[in-house]
Each structure stands twice: as structure tokens, then as C-alpha cells.
Amino acid sequence: MADVYRWRLAPDGLATRRQLRALGLRPGGQDVVAELHRPRRRREPLVAYLYRIDRAKPVRPMTPARTAALAAAMLARRTCPTCRTDAGYCIPRSLGMCVTCHDNPAA
């Protein structure tokens, strides 16, 4: 079982995934070393998993293939299925089409 620390009381040398990413690192397959619990009123505490910074590995660099795949995925999220145009923003999943198509339905 991992050690459990209260909010803001974790020792130095441990970081969350987000903190590792800000340092240009990733967990690199290591197990969770500790948990950080942030208490909340009348609810379960928020939990953050902590990893050792000294065992973290550098973030893998973006390759041209990964960059192209990410660009294609973002284009698919911006393309309206109704009018087939690039809306310039990610299409809301709640609407399923661009705002213009939603506001002006075809009669």
C-alpha cells in the first residue's frame, strides 16, 4: 500500500503526473509511491497519485508521424459532419454539428 499524505504535506522528491509533465518528465512505468489526499466537506477526499522525480524519465519527443496524427485528429474534431467545413473550433459533442448548422437547420 502506498503512503498517504495530507494536502500540502508531501515530502520533496515526489510529484503528480501534471507536475512531472511541467518538468518535462513522465512516470516511465514506475508504480505509484504515495497518495495525496485533499479533504472536502461532506464528500470523499480528492486523491492525487505521487511518483518519484528521480525515477521519472524524459518525455518522448514528438515525431513527425505523431504530429501528423494529432493534426488529423484535431481536424476531424473541427469538421462539421453536416456542412463538411472546418468550423475553426472543436465541434460540441452535445450539438453534434457546428453552431451555424445547429442554429439554421435545413428545412
Side-chain angles (χ1 to χ4, degrees), residues 20-104:
L20 287 176
R21 187 63 182 212
L23 296 172
L25 301 171
R26 61 186 168 95
Q30 66 175 301
D31 292 330
V32 173
V33 176
E35 292 181 2
L36 186 68
H37 286 211
R38 180 177 180 212
R40 300 189 297 174
R41 294 180 193 196
R42 296 185 216 109
R43 290 189 280 177
E44 297 283 324
L46 291 176
V47 178
Y49 299 108
L50 301 174
Y51 301 90
R52 288 183 49 173
I53 296 174
D54 59 344
R55 289 189 184 170
K57 296 180 181 176
V59 174
R60 294 184 187 115
M62 284 292 280
T63 63
R66 288 176 69 191
T67 303
L70 182 59
M74 292 306 295
L75 178 63
R77 289 184 65 191
R78 292 190 317 262
T79 303
C80 175
T82 307
C83 64
R84 293 292 197 206
T85 59
D86 184 351
Y89 55 88
C90 289
I91 304 295
R93 292 178 61 191
S94 60
L95 301 180
M97 60 185 74
C98 67
V99 176
T100 307
C101 291
H102 182 265
D103 290 343
N104 303 320

